[in-house]
Amino acid sequence: MSPVGYQRYNRETGEPVDWDDIVKGYAVKKGEYVILENEDFKRANVKATQTVDIVQFTDAEAIDPTYFEKPYYLVPGKRGAKPYVLLREALRKSGKVGIARVVIRTRESLAAVMVKDDALVLELLRYAHELHPLADYDLPTGKDAPKISTPELKMAERLIDEMTAEFKPEEFKDTYRDELLAFIKRKWKGEEVEEVDVEAEAPATNVVDMMALLKKSLQGGGKAAAGEADKQKNKPKRTAARNPRPAKAKKAAATNRKKTAKRAKTSRRKAA
């Protein structure tokens, strides 16, 4: 129950090697290496390691999100504030992003330069060969795709409408990390930890009854969904016109109308 350390050693002699004695080398052939200092990686191409070389501009929506890998904030260097602002505002007004080459550490990367508020962001991009083609996966498309009925599609669209909200990243937390730390604290304090059969709790398959989930969400999920359901349920229906008064009431009303008409006729005669 003690931490484990890792030690570097000479493969030929088996003797341990200190960090200060380790250098980087490129094997030109078996047993022969070209030793490289940290500065050598910059000397190979000083310009490439110090600059972001924009090679073209393109529409932001033209870049598939699957190419995005890692973002960096760009800051202007000495006497670089004016060109920085000029590029930032030009990109903002045009709605374009710059496609660039940049060397980070020992690797040249493809990148996109885009605007975020008052900053230029360098988003490293994956190369096309680093992504698996969709053809490698068995996806439900064409004739093999299950048929979706109109009511099913409307139900899914309704669920999306009910759950649509403004995206606020600060509202989302790593809840699993919090729960894991709480679990660790309980074990550290010697508290009893409930035994859970992980295999039993885990889903047996990744196939789910989507329609059942949709119905459950719409029935018991949002108040708006329930309110809309009640509204549709209680919505008045078109029916044939009916007099709710009983037959006796109808007869009395007819008698009253006759008496009123007779009095009116008498009054007209007196006036004449």
Side-chain angles (χ1 to χ4, degrees), residues 28-176:
V28 290
K29 62 180 182 179
K30 188 175 181 179
E32 293 190 19
Y33 300 87
V34 174
I35 304 304
L36 295 170
E37 304 292 341
N38 289 333
E39 288 298 316
D40 290 336
F41 293 99
K42 294 183 179 180
R43 293 190 187 106
N45 189 332
V46 176
K47 180 177 180 294
T49 58
Q50 299 295 318
T51 60
V52 176
D53 185 18
I54 297 178
V55 295
Q56 73 173 70
F57 294 94
T58 189
D59 294 328
E61 59 271 15
I63 304 177
D64 191 311
T66 56
Y67 284 96
F68 293 152
E69 184 174 20
K70 190 175 184 180
Y72 290 88
Y73 283 121
L74 296 177
V75 295
K78 293 181 179 179
R79 298 183 297 277
K82 186 170 183 178
Y84 185 95
V85 173
L86 179 61
L87 176 60
R88 182 188 68 194
E89 298 309 314
L91 289 176
R92 192 196 308 276
K93 188 172 182 180
S94 66
K96 307 286 185 181
V97 298
I99 303 300
R101 293 190 181 96
V102 61
V103 174
I104 296 180
R105 297 183 180 89
T106 61
R107 182 191 180 198
E108 182 179 80
S109 298
L110 188 65
V113 179
M114 56 188 69
V115 178
K116 175 177 170 55
D117 298 331
D118 292 330
L120 286 174
V121 174
L122 180 79
E123 178 76 43
L124 295 187
L125 302 176
R126 297 180 178 91
Y127 287 101
H129 70 269
E130 295 177 310
L131 294 176
H132 290 282
L134 289 178
D136 291 350
Y137 301 96
D138 185 17
L139 301 175
T141 58
K143 295 180 179 179
D144 297 332
K147 300 299 180 183
I148 303 300
S149 68
T150 301
E152 289 172 333
L153 184 58
K154 286 184 177 180
M155 185 178 294
E157 291 173 344
R158 181 180 162 193
L159 179 63
I160 292 175
D161 288 340
E162 291 293 334
M163 297 181 65
T164 297
E166 182 182 354
F167 176 57
K168 298 178 180 179
E170 63 276 6
E171 293 182 354
F172 294 87
K173 308 298 180 184
D174 186 352
T175 56
Y176 175 74

Side-chain angles (χ1 to χ4, degrees), residues 217-264:
S217 298
L218 291 174
Q219 289 172 359
K223 294 180 179 178
E228 181 63 24
D230 291 340
K231 187 188 296 183
Q232 295 296 326
K233 183 178 179 181
N234 298 326
K235 189 175 181 180
K237 299 179 175 59
R238 292 185 178 181
T239 58
R242 295 179 181 176
N243 193 330
R245 293 180 295 180
K248 290 183 178 179
K250 289 183 181 180
K251 188 175 181 180
T255 304
N256 289 334
R257 284 197 297 272
K258 289 181 180 179
K259 289 180 179 179
T260 302
K262 187 175 182 180
R263 284 197 298 268

